[in-house]
């Protein structure tokens, strides 16, 4: 039986997130905690609901358990519906073993039957590892108005970063006439955000054609979009203005967290008109001791703080002991930083323990050579023993004791 839905959103959440190192060793990238109260996937999911899109397929693959548990029946995002709702779609078992998703386009191809069940006119393709607020309904209206086959959300990026993205060239009507995936010499600074609206009848044809091509890497950026462009399909760029961050690297995840407490950054998570929903257990209010010093920081519920915290994002249920210092760092839920420990320019993952007088990371001005500097990362449930020093850029694996 078909459940009619004009728009179906497909959220690609299967990536291994290898550039996030120890943080994604046992969980999928979209399930990584962010900003104290959220996980990365809360952003695209909340954008869907706020945009009136209630049928969402979440394509998982790598380490999906935490993500699946977190999504559950979709209730925190108002996606627990009889018709539509949120569906976790993992790769099908093929005869003779599992058929992993080979690329972003193949992942959608494998779920054609799921999409067909809703008989949509439009399919929105989203990525699970971006932090941003966006009204997809406006983008769909733009797509309809231009009678487009494909619309790509674009953001102007600094020229020096342009070669990291898919870059588009457009005419005065925002019609795309050229697309280059991560060009060495970019001709424009209009970057694809990895947010696409397709007319479903067109996309389906191109997915089937792409799957039949043995030389294709089955990817939207490398294959589907260039092929549609070569075929002269109607392709438009939807200009996006506002905060957007791809949190695929340690540095960008660290920056995106600290952006929450930066008054010059346009990312307001307390804005009730466009709420970011999340599934988080309630904790008691946080406690800040009489000798504690907290400045320019975000402190989650259930924290006990007796030390110094400056310009950091501290998630719920974190303990920071007497004489401990946390500066320019991201502390994920349940971590413990004991008396006298120092944490500088670091990401401390869930339930990690930093014992007394240990030091994680370093403040850059103490270093002779800035090339040696970077964000230090301590994996979930790792334990750093008393007095131990962890250098900048070092990563300690989940569960490890050093």
């Amino acid at each position: 039986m078909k459940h009619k839905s004009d728009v179906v959103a497909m959220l690609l959440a299967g990536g291994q997130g290898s550039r996030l190192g120890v943080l994604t060793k046992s969980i999928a990238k979209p399930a990584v905690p962010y900003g104290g109260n959220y996980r990365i996937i809360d952003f695209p999911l909340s954008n869907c609901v706020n945009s009136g899109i209630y049928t969402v397929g979440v394509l998982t693959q790598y380490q999906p358990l935490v993500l699946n548990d977190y999504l559950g029946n979709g209730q925190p995002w108002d996606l627990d519906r009889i018709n539509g709702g949120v569906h976790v779609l993992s790769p099908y078992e093929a005869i003779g073993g599992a058929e992993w998703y080979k690329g972003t386009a193949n992942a959608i191809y494998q779920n054609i039957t799921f999409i067909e069940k809703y008989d949509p006119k439009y399919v929105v393709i989203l990525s699970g590892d971006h932090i941003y607020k966006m009204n997809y309904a406006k983008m769909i209206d733009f797509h309809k108005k231009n009678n487009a086959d494909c619309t790509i959300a674009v953001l102007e990026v600094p020229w020096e970063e342009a070669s990291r993205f898919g870059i588009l060239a457009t005419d005065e009507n925002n019609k795309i006439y050229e697309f280059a995936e991560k060009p060495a010499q970019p001709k424009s600074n209009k970057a694809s955000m990895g947010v696409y609206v397709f007319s479903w009848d067109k996309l389906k044809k191109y997915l089937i054609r792409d799957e039949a091509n043995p030389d294709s890497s089955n990817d939207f950026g490398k294959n589907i979009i260039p092929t549609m462009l070569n075929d002269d399909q109607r392709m438009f760029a939807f200009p996006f203005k506002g905060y957007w961050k791809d949190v695929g690297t340690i540095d960008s995840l660290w920056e995106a967290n600290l952006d929450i407490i930066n008054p010059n950054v346009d990312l307001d998570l307390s804005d009730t008109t466009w709420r970011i929903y999340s599934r988080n257990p309630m904790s008691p209010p946080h406690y800040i001791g009489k000798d504690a010093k907290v400045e320019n920081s975000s402190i989650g519920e259930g924290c006990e703080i007796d030390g110094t915290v400056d310009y950091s994002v501290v998630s719920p249920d974190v303990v920071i002991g007497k004489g401990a210092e946390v500066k320019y760092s991201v502390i994920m839920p349940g971590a413990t930083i004991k008396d006298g420990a120092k944490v500088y320019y670091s990401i401390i993952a869930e339930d990690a323990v930093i014992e007394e007088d240990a030091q994680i990371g370093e403040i850059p001005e103490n270093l002779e050579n800035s090339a040696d500097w970077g964000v230090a990362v301590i994996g979930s449930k790792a334990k750093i023993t008393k007095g131990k020093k962890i250098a900048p850029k070092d990563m300690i694996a989940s569960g490890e004791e050093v």
Side-chain angles (χ1 to χ4, degrees):
M1 181 186 145
K2 282 191 174 175
H3 302 294
K4 196 78 181 123
S5 176
D6 220 20
V7 181
V8 169
M10 299 294 272
L11 177 49
L12 297 160
Q16 190 168 345
S18 51
R19 290 177 303 162
L20 288 178
V22 299
L23 295 178
T24 47
K25 186 142 193 303
S26 53
I27 61 174
K29 184 161 53 169
V32 169
Y34 167 79
N37 266 342
Y38 307 95
R39 291 181 187 265
I40 296 169
I41 198 165
D42 289 332
F43 286 79
L45 277 181
S46 299
N47 287 340
C48 284
V49 173
N50 289 327
S51 304
I53 299 171
Y54 295 109
T55 305
V56 184
V58 178
L59 285 71
T60 64
Q61 171 156 289
Y62 171 80
Q63 295 283 14
L65 290 177
V66 174
L67 190 58
N68 293 357
D69 284 353
Y70 183 70
L71 292 171
N73 65 352
Q75 182 262 325
W77 305 272
D78 192 23
L79 287 170
D80 51 335
R81 291 162 179 260
I82 293 167
N83 294 337
V86 70
H87 300 263
V88 176
L89 305 167
S90 44
Y92 294 104
E93 283 282 329
I95 296 160
E99 175 70 69
W100 278 64
Y101 294 147
K102 295 188 289 251
T104 51
N106 171 261
I108 305 296
Y109 171 83
Q110 282 199 37
N111 288 287
I112 285 177
T113 43
F114 167 79
I115 298 170
E116 291 281 81
K117 200 167 83 174
Y118 297 98
D119 192 22
K121 281 199 176 73
Y122 308 102
V123 171
V124 181
I125 311 279
L126 303 168
S127 170
D129 52 1
H130 298 153
I131 304 285
Y132 66 117
K133 293 179 175 188
M134 181 177 183
N135 189 339
Y136 304 138
K138 284 187 177 166
M139 185 173 169
I140 293 162
D141 288 345
F142 176 90
H143 179 88
K144 291 178 187 169
K145 207 163 72 210
N146 285 303
N147 189 22
D149 300 308
C150 165
T151 300
I152 301 173
V154 299
L155 184 75
E156 291 195 0
V157 296
W159 277 93
E160 63 274 13
E161 285 180 30
S163 54
R164 286 178 39 217
F165 297 95
I167 294 294
L168 311 166
T170 57
D171 67 15
E172 66 283 359
N173 302 317
N174 288 307
K175 194 166 191 285
I176 300 167
Y177 62 84
E178 200 177 335
F179 176 82
E181 180 73 8
K182 301 186 178 168
Q185 259 76 47
K187 293 183 189 170
S188 116
N189 67 336
K190 287 180 178 165
S192 163
M193 293 164 58
V195 175
Y196 310 117
V197 175
F198 287 96
S199 298
W200 173 234
D201 54 349
K202 271 284 156 72
L203 176 60
K204 187 178 163 189
K205 274 184 204 149
Y206 277 93
L207 288 173
I208 291 168
R209 201 170 118 185
D210 180 67
E211 191 61 27
N213 174 1
D215 301 326
S216 174
S217 45
N218 309 120
D219 185 81
F220 277 99
K222 292 192 191 102
N223 309 108
I224 300 281
I225 287 161
T227 306
M228 287 182 76
L229 205 52
N230 288 342
D231 289 357
D232 232 8
Q233 299 298 316
R234 288 184 64 78
M235 303 182 78
F236 285 82
F238 176 74
F240 175 77
K241 296 214 173 351
Y243 183 89
W244 179 83
K245 195 134 203 162
D246 177 346
V247 286
T249 65
I250 289 293
D251 285 1
S252 63
L253 178 66
W254 175 79
E255 281 166 19
N257 271 277
L258 296 189
D259 280 344
I260 294 170
I261 48 181
N262 183 344
N264 303 318
V265 168
D266 175 24
L267 177 65
D268 180 7
L269 297 183
S270 57
D271 175 9
T272 50
T273 57
W274 196 272
R275 266 192 65 191
I276 302 298
Y277 301 90
S278 74
R279 175 194 299 280
N280 271 312
M282 290 297 283
S283 297
H286 60 254
Y287 166 78
I288 296 182
K290 66 177 184 357
D291 299 324
K293 194 171 161 204
V294 177
E295 289 182 300
N296 311 325
S297 295
S298 163
I299 308 291
E301 298 170 330
C303 289
E304 288 180 32
I305 296 180
D306 287 300
T308 298
V309 181
D310 187 15
Y311 215 83
S312 295
V313 173
V314 180
S315 303
D317 304 316
V318 165
V319 175
I320 297 174
K322 285 188 169 61
E325 278 185 15
V326 175
K327 294 185 176 181
Y328 293 91
S329 291
V330 177
I331 316 294
M332 291 182 178
T336 301
I337 294 157
K338 296 201 176 168
D339 296 1
K342 309 277 186 271
V343 176
Y344 303 132
Y345 289 87
S346 298
I347 297 176
I348 311 292
E350 295 172 273
D351 302 318
V353 176
I354 314 299
E355 294 284 358
E356 287 98 338
D357 303 318
Q359 180 174 326
I360 317 297
E362 217 165 297
I363 294 174
E365 66 249 28
N366 303 342
L367 292 172
E368 286 158 34
N369 182 0
S370 63
D372 297 337
W373 186 80
V375 175
V377 184
I378 308 299
S380 61
K381 297 189 170 67
K383 186 175 177 183
I384 308 302
T385 53
K386 192 174 173 176
K388 181 87 181 160
K389 269 189 97 159
I390 303 296
K393 279 209 284 214
D394 275 7
M395 280 196 184
I396 304 301
S398 302
E400 203 176 313
E401 182 171 332
V402 292

